[in-house]
Amino acid sequence: MSKLTLVICFCLLLAAVIYATSDASENDNEVELLARLKRGARGGRRRNAGRRHSGRPRGEGEDDEEDTAGRGGRRRPWRRDRQGRRGHGQAPGRGNRQGRRGHGHRQGQAHARWGQPITSFASLPDRVQRLITSLVGAQNSFITNFHKEVGLPATDVVYSPFSIHQALTMTFMGARHQTAFQMKQALSLRGLGRRTRFAAKKLNQLLNNPGNATLKTANSIYLQPELDILQEFTDALGLFYQANISSFDWGHPAGPEGPINEWVSAQTNNLIPTIINQGTITRLTAMVLVNAIYFKARWQKPFTPEMTSEQLFRKTPNEQVPVQMMEVEADFKVGAVPGHAARLLELPYEDGRFSMLIILPDDEAGLTTIEDALTTDILASTLDTIIAAKLKVFLPRFKLETSLSVTQALQTMGMTRPFSAGLADFTGITSSSDAYISDVLHKAVVEVNEEGSEAAAATAVIIEVRSFAGMQPPSPVFRCDHPFLFFIRDNVSKLNLFVGKFSGGT
């Protein structure tokens, strides 16, 4: 064998060792935590074996691979800060330097950022691609059911299924038995189970590389200082969801809701100044889990402001309202929605990473039929088959805001036990058997104009305890002058960040 061959073989071997080492180091923290969680789970099962009711069904969520958040884990220590308030996991002598507004954030590398962003979906290992694809599919399945409860009855609406889903999957980590089973069913997590948190971490890393757009998503947890919380739960929140963890600040001028609303406002570029009204948090509120998302991007082919004019929008066959109608003529992808009398239009944002997808029925009365038959194929598969065409697009300039409790919608979708005091089982969060979800609040806003789109949303899961143009032929026209659905979508992961319906505004 020649020296050159030996050198080449040595270089290839060295490259393989370096790649394997870097891949292993990326997962060191996960492996260490999972080992600790599994030890806690085994210990918890031994300690609780004698206390389980013989007829109590075991939730399917506990049987999944990597179901490691046990009931017998260590409790998170609480120490008082310099102001006398309790802080979460603070070392002695290190008080809350920021005073009331700092409210005891845990710091650390995993909590400061999402980690290294993923620059390419194709570069991910096959198992990671499958995890992300499964989570996106679960969210699309969730949309098909959730939209029937929230979107279909509304005239105009916008919401972020990503935000709602992520806040609830954080909560799902601490659910047990039938509570876990119902949450898994409602969130369409049957194919993922406890691996949802791994998929969420990788998906968030993928979203952390938004190209020319601005996309921020963050999680934060606020706790009652007296809550006996499992350390494994807070560790998992930090590792998989990069959640900041703080205690309620009862001394804040705006009450304990003040720091939560300030955090949401900062994360959403002030588009959502409040998510929780003052007086919502009481001494029985154990925890509030919050997700926030913010998106802003310019159109790849902007609308010409001088072409915007007042035109009529046909809300119903018998009602028309004036809107500011934007106009642009360029090459766009457009196609039919299979099985429906409707067309699908893609309006890409700058650099093509994200797009707005518009489903426009052929007539103003056809949107209800599409919404009622909304499927994952419409939300995902058919979007990849649209073809390019020269098109003149008319789209209203609009701004939508939605604020609602989604509790009733989730209960209708089968999530009843998590909201039932005395029946809910969140012993993966706290040793108390009294914890239950009292409400799930959601706010979203979207503004669409000639330059692009800006959107934000926040979700709060509140957990309580019971105690405690030329000579060419004219281009085809896509005129959005009657009610339509729209989605803001990540073209890499196929994730639908925002879903909305415009019916003329208020």
Side-chain angles (χ1 to χ4, degrees):
M1 184 179 294
S2 66
K3 291 184 179 180
L4 179 59
T5 303
L6 288 173
V7 170
I8 293 174
C9 292
F10 175 77
C11 291
L12 292 173
L13 179 62
L14 180 61
V17 170
I18 292 174
Y19 177 82
T21 303
S22 62
D23 185 62
S25 63
E26 179 184 356
N27 296 306
D28 279 347
N29 289 336
E30 294 182 16
V31 172
E32 181 181 353
L33 175 60
L34 288 175
R36 189 163 68 247
L37 293 176
K38 287 177 180 177
R39 289 195 296 271
R42 288 193 294 269
R45 284 192 290 268
R46 286 193 296 269
R47 282 189 291 273
N48 289 283
R51 285 183 283 174
R52 286 181 179 165
H53 300 293
S54 58
R56 190 177 189 180
R58 178 177 175 85
E60 290 190 18
E62 295 181 316
D63 297 326
D64 291 312
E65 179 184 355
E66 293 163 336
D67 174 15
T68 54
R71 298 176 62 180
R74 293 170 294 179
R75 273 46 174 184
R76 169 64 62 185
W78 295 84
R79 298 184 177 90
R80 294 189 178 274
D81 62 17
R82 293 178 181 176
Q83 285 74 33
R85 297 187 300 275
R86 291 185 177 183
H88 188 263
Q90 293 176 329
R94 297 190 64 176
N96 184 354
R97 297 181 181 178
Q98 295 177 342
R100 287 173 175 166
R101 296 180 184 237
H103 45 273
H105 279 242
R106 288 176 58 195
Q107 300 296 331
Q109 184 175 2
H111 299 250
R113 60 181 187 273
W114 286 112
Q116 294 300 319
I118 297 173
T119 57
S120 170
F121 184 79
S123 67
L124 294 171
D126 289 343
R127 63 178 182 84
V128 176
Q129 291 188 34
R130 288 194 298 269
L131 278 175
I132 293 176
T133 300
S134 296
L135 183 57
V136 172
Q139 187 181 114
N140 281 341
S141 181
F142 171 79
I143 293 172
T144 62
N145 297 315
F146 184 80
H147 190 81
K148 290 181 177 65
E149 303 299 329
V150 172
L152 187 57
T155 302
D156 296 282
V157 69
V158 62
Y159 60 90
S160 172
F162 169 83
S163 178
I164 298 169
H165 205 259
Q166 182 136 124
L168 288 172
T169 57
M170 286 194 293
T171 313
F172 170 71
M173 285 200 307
R176 295 292 177 266
H177 301 103
Q178 278 294 92
T179 301
F181 176 75
Q182 288 189 0
M183 293 190 72
K184 185 166 68 170
Q185 294 284 96
L187 298 174
S188 302
L189 299 176
R190 288 188 61 86
L192 283 166
R194 300 298 176 185
R195 293 179 300 159
T196 300
R197 52 192 175 181
F198 294 91
K201 178 178 180 179
K202 296 304 180 183
L203 177 59
N204 287 329
Q205 287 177 333
L206 184 62
L207 297 176
N208 197 32
N209 182 40
N212 291 336
T214 298
L215 177 62
K216 297 189 300 181
T217 178
N219 299 303
S220 195
I221 315 300
Y222 297 84
L223 307 170
Q224 186 75 259
E226 290 78 18
L227 181 66
D228 187 19
I229 191 169
L230 299 183
Q231 181 174 340
E232 280 73 14
F233 181 72
T234 57
D235 285 346
L237 284 173
L239 177 61
F240 298 111
Y241 291 92
Q242 284 66 50
N244 291 317
I245 301 176
S246 313
S247 57
F248 291 150
D249 185 357
W250 295 98
H252 193 280
E257 300 86 2
I260 300 176
N261 290 328
E262 290 171 0
W263 181 85
V264 168
S265 182
Q267 297 299 322
T268 61
N269 201 32
N270 302 317
L271 288 183
I272 301 178
T274 61
I275 182 64
I276 301 180
N277 293 330
Q278 192 168 359
T280 300
I281 296 176
T282 70
R283 292 294 176 179
L284 294 180
T285 305
M287 173 186 297
V288 179
L289 301 95
V290 190
N291 170 271
I293 181 173
Y294 173 77
F295 172 84
K296 186 175 183 179
R298 298 174 63 88
W299 298 120
Q300 190 178 90
K301 299 158 186 175
F303 292 82
T304 305
E306 293 77 17
M307 299 295 291
T308 301
S309 62
E310 184 176 290
Q311 298 185 28
L312 291 178
F313 184 93
R314 295 176 287 136
K315 294 187 69 169
T316 68
N318 302 316
E319 182 183 3
Q320 296 182 344
V321 294
V323 298
Q324 291 297 309
M325 190 71 77
M326 306 183 296
E327 181 181 342
V328 66
E329 184 175 5
D331 290 330
F332 293 104
K333 293 181 178 180
V334 64
V337 178
H340 295 278
R343 289 182 295 165
L344 185 66
L345 170 70
E346 179 181 7
L347 297 177
Y349 294 104
E350 200 171 24
D351 85 6
R353 169 65 193 267
F354 300 94
S355 296
M356 175 178 283
L357 286 301
I358 296 177
I359 296 178
L360 182 71
D362 291 347
D363 61 72
E364 57 268 28
L367 187 59
T368 300
T369 302
I370 296 174
E371 290 182 281
D372 196 46
L374 196 62
T375 65
T376 55
D377 286 339
I378 294 177
L379 291 169
S381 299
T382 58
L383 304 182
D384 298 328
T385 64
I386 48 183
I387 58 175
K390 187 78 170 179
L391 201 63
K392 182 179 287 189
V393 174
F394 294 86
L395 181 69
R397 187 174 65 200
F398 65 89
K399 181 177 182 180
L400 295 177
E401 296 185 35
T402 298
S403 177
L404 75 163
S405 167
V406 299
T407 297
Q408 184 60 52
L410 294 171
Q411 289 177 325
T412 304
M413 292 166 61
M415 261 182 62
T416 56
R417 190 173 287 258
F419 293 96
S420 302
L423 294 178
D425 186 347
F426 287 104
T427 49
I429 297 177
T430 173
S431 59
S432 172
S433 60
D434 292 336
Y436 67 99
I437 299 175
S438 62
D439 207 353
V440 179
L441 305 175
H442 185 68
K443 286 190 177 183
V445 58
V446 62
E447 183 172 5
V448 177
N449 56 33
E450 289 85 354
E451 293 183 354
S453 304
E454 186 176 23
T459 305
V461 179
I462 303 174
I463 295 181
E464 290 194 358
V465 292
R466 290 185 296 170
S467 53
F468 179 42
M471 297 302 294
Q472 301 175 355
S475 300
V477 172
F478 196 98
R479 184 181 295 273
C480 301
D481 64 352
H482 54 275
F484 58 85
L485 284 178
F486 64 89
F487 313 93
I488 295 180
R489 173 187 176 220
D490 174 17
N491 293 324
V492 173
S493 67
K494 311 302 181 188
L495 179 73
N496 289 303
L497 298 168
F498 293 87
V499 175
K501 174 171 65 173
F502 182 77
S503 298
T506 56

